[in-house]
Amino acid sequence: MSGYPMKKVTLKNGSELLIRKATEEDAEQMAQFKMHISRESDFLSFGENEIEITAETEHRIIQAENTTNNSVIIIALIDNEIAGFVTFKGGAKIRKRHAGEMGISVRKKYWGLGIGSLLLKVIIDWAKGTQVIRKMDLLTRADNEKAMKLYEKYGFKKEGILTRDMCVNGVFYDSVSMGLPID
């Protein structure tokens, strides 16, 4: 994983968490994970049945991310179940290869165990190790204060507001653009 090996961590509740780069063999479980989380949180950019989530599409996504040096999918497993994941997708054009967007999600039953924080540290370490990534960007809903505090803890700064960026059940929400220079 560009210098980042598998990592085992004991969580607050005593569970063992395995963090590693996703492989094509994870496609079916990734599809199940995304379908599950689409029903758990309105903070995601997609809701239930809003995106095509199949083992085949996940296989293609993982395969594509594994063939570049500026993109990655990292999963966190508890008892062989995906508890969370973090992705980074760098730009395809030469002028944009150094930057990209990060996304992170943790299954609700594992909230509060520090998995999001661990995944954030892993993806930042990965980005630093690439010698390609110089900027990480993300979008989060403006009312997701817990997430913003976590991102700020790792050095992300607010860079702008996108008004009415999401509409969930007829209610509009602003999004906050945040960024982290990688030096």
Side-chain angles (χ1 to χ4, degrees):
M1 191 161 59
S2 236
Y4 198 89
M6 278 197 293
K7 180 178 186 169
K8 288 185 180 178
V9 179
T10 301
L11 298 173
K12 298 173 189 176
N13 68 353
S15 296
E16 187 172 270
L17 183 76
L18 174 66
I19 300 173
R20 65 170 172 78
K21 186 175 177 179
T23 67
E24 293 166 36
E25 290 76 35
D26 298 312
E28 177 65 41
Q29 199 177 161
M30 277 294 290
Q32 291 171 8
F33 176 83
K34 285 183 179 178
M35 284 189 288
H36 186 82
I37 63 169
S38 73
R39 297 184 300 267
E40 286 189 326
S41 173
D42 286 336
F43 288 125
L44 299 174
S45 62
F46 62 93
E48 189 172 10
N49 301 317
E50 283 191 60
I51 61 172
E52 181 185 359
I53 304 173
T54 65
E56 293 77 28
T57 56
E58 292 305 309
H59 187 274
R60 283 194 301 273
I61 291 167
I62 293 168
Q63 189 175 45
E65 302 308 312
N66 283 344
T67 60
T68 74
N69 65 352
N70 70 339
S71 297
V72 71
I73 300 170
I74 298 170
I75 60 175
L77 300 134
I78 296 176
D79 296 327
N80 294 316
E81 175 185 63
I82 297 177
F85 78 105
V86 63
T87 63
F88 184 86
K89 183 159 183 62
K93 296 181 175 72
I94 292 171
R95 293 179 182 188
K96 294 286 205 165
R97 288 189 50 70
H98 71 283
E101 191 164 344
M102 187 206 79
I104 189 168
S105 190
V106 175
R107 193 181 291 254
K108 193 172 191 172
K109 72 179 183 179
Y110 298 118
W111 288 2
L113 296 177
I115 295 171
S117 187
L118 288 165
L119 287 172
L120 203 46
K121 181 172 179 0
V122 166
I123 199 79
I124 292 168
D125 288 348
W126 168 83
K128 289 177 179 177
T130 67
Q131 301 299 305
V132 175
I133 306 306
R134 307 301 301 196
K135 173 84 184 311
M136 298 179 81
D137 295 309
L138 63 86
L139 278 177
T140 190
R141 239 174 60 180
D143 60 331
N144 193 349
E145 293 174 19
K146 195 172 184 180
M148 282 191 283
K149 280 183 183 170
L150 176 64
Y151 301 139
E152 288 171 341
K153 174 182 167 185
Y154 282 90
F156 282 84
K157 303 275 188 246
K158 294 176 185 172
E159 296 183 336
I161 305 281
L162 285 75
T163 60
R164 300 183 113 189
D165 189 45
M166 289 179 66
C167 184
V168 179
N169 300 319
V171 178
F172 289 103
Y173 295 92
D174 296 347
S175 290
V176 176
S177 172
M178 300 181 80
L180 175 70
I182 301 295
D183 293 321

